[in-house]
């Protein structure tokens, strides 16, 4: 079960809407001791409705922030503008390094992959773990205020 | 020339969890090869079979992507900061 406060869910939906028609992407960091979450928008350098590529420089800065401020990478999120909130085959492939080497451990085994779908009027947000061999396991989201 | 290299979390299994390492060399390529001497297996992470940088590896020298400079042949100076960042990406299909 993924515990995600409503305001954090809303922040991801807002980002997805702001970046239409393109996919939006970003990260949620969480304090190791206080469990405070923060949403960090990352530029989608692909600027496409069908793809996202997180700006490597922004990613590096977030990772350095994480190292220096004792934070964990709680979730990697991105939007699907016209398909379900479920990881695509490409999303799964790219969770591994090198891409598609699903016999390796995924790059971020502990991190949730959160998908925001805008395909219907009501946005849908779902969370997953992507595991070795490309297995997708959905984790139900428990939202709280 | 001694350069500091930022290692992203998915690669730290090879550096014994170190987030920064240092290496010496005159070009970015020298530096990457000298990392392989310290941490065998590192080359496999950053180079493809033709010993080229694949599209899913980004290398930044002092916050500038190396292909915007002179790629692997870019000269480095003491105190420079190199960062290796695997692509984080996906698609609808
Ligand atoms: Zn996707």
């Amino acid at each position: 079960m993924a515990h995600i406060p409503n305001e954090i869910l809303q922040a991801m939906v807002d980002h997805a809407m702001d970046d239409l028609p393109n996919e939006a992407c970003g990260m949620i960091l969480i304090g190791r001791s206080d469990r405070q979450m923060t949403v960090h928008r990352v530029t989608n350098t692909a600027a496409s409705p069908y793809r996202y590529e997180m700006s490597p420089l922004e990613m590096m800065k977030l990772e350095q922030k994480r190292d220096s401020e004792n934070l964990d990478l709680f979730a990697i999120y991105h939007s699907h503008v016209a398909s379900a909130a479920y990881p695509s085959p490409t999303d799964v492939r790219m969770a591994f390094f090198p891409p598609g080497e699903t016999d390796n451990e995924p790059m971020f085994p502990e991190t949730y992959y959160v998908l925001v779908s805008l395909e219907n009027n009501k946005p849908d947000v779902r969370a997953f773990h992507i595991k070795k061999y490309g297995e997708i396991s959905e984790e139900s989201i428990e939202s709280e205020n | 020339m001694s350069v500091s290299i930022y290692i992203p979390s998915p690669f730290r299994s090879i550096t014994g969890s170190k987030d920064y390492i240092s290496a010496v060399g005159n070009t970015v390529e020298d530096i990457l090869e000298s990392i392989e001497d310290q941490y065998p297996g590192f080359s496999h992470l950053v180079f493809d079979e033709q010993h080229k940088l694949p599209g899913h590896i980004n290398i930044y020298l002092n916050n500038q992507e190396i292909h915007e400079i002179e790629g692997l042949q870019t000269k480095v100076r003491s105190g420079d900061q190199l960062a290796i960042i695997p692509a984080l990406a996906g698609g609808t299909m």
Side-chain angles (χ1 to χ4, degrees):
Chain A
M1 182 127 46
H3 292 269
I4 308 179
N6 273 320
E7 70 204 56
I8 300 290
L9 294 173
Q10 190 57 48
M12 289 187 282
V13 170
D14 289 347
H15 182 198
M17 304 280 247
D18 286 349
D19 279 17
L20 279 171
N22 296 332
E23 288 193 7
C25 57
M27 293 179 169
I28 301 175
L29 300 179
I30 188 168
R32 239 166 249 168
S33 44
D34 64 10
R35 310 305 289 164
Q36 278 297 320
M37 286 185 202
T38 46
V39 175
H40 300 270
R41 296 183 176 202
V42 176
T43 304
N44 174 2
T45 56
S48 155
Y50 312 108
R51 279 187 310 124
Y52 80 92
E53 282 172 30
M54 289 212 193
S55 156
L57 209 50
E58 291 174 34
M59 259 171 59
M60 178 182 72
K61 290 191 172 143
L62 282 174
E63 189 155 276
Q64 288 170 337
K65 179 182 174 69
R66 187 176 90 177
D67 290 337
S68 65
E69 296 176 22
N70 222 7
L71 309 169
D72 282 323
L73 179 56
F74 178 80
I76 294 164
Y77 71 89
H78 75 282
S79 63
H80 282 173
V81 301
S83 59
Y86 193 83
S88 70
T90 307
D91 292 338
V92 174
R93 238 173 61 77
M94 297 302 294
F96 292 85
F97 191 88
E101 292 295 322
T102 56
D103 287 352
N104 292 342
E105 289 297 330
M107 282 199 281
F108 302 100
E110 313 285 330
T111 299
Y112 291 108
Y113 280 80
V114 172
L115 276 289
V116 178
S117 168
L118 301 179
E119 95 181 303
N120 300 313
N121 282 341
K122 190 177 176 302
D124 189 23
V125 185
R126 293 164 68 184
F128 305 87
H129 276 129
I130 296 176
K131 299 182 171 172
K132 200 171 176 179
Y133 308 123
E135 187 199 325
I136 298 169
S137 114
E138 179 156 15
E139 308 291 334
S140 58
I141 293 179
E142 168 126 325
S143 62
E144 56 228 37
N145 292 304
Chain B
M1 310 296 156
S2 178
V3 168
S4 149
I5 303 117
Y6 180 72
I7 304 294
S9 53
F11 288 5
R12 289 181 199 161
S13 54
I14 231 159
T15 60
S17 339
K18 284 198 195 122
D19 51 359
Y20 286 92
I21 60 174
S22 55
V24 289
N26 294 315
T27 62
V28 171
E29 189 166 28
D30 289 349
I31 297 288
L32 296 176
E33 274 159 13
S34 113
I35 302 174
E36 168 67 20
D37 296 339
Q38 296 179 61
Y39 301 102
F42 175 82
S43 283
H44 278 300
L45 293 176
V46 296
F47 289 114
D48 64 16
E49 276 130 40
Q50 285 82 46
H51 204 67
K52 290 207 175 94
L53 287 176
H56 56 264
I57 286 285
N58 304 288
I59 297 187
Y60 284 81
L61 181 67
N62 303 326
N63 292 348
Q64 197 173 12
E65 213 282 322
I66 59 165
H67 290 110
E68 294 167 6
I69 330 171
E70 288 170 66
L72 290 169
Q73 300 319 314
T74 305
K75 297 253 188 311
V76 298
R77 284 184 287 195
S78 252
D80 276 355
Q81 304 255 0
L82 200 69
I84 298 157
I85 308 162
L88 193 48
T92 300
M93 307 305 167

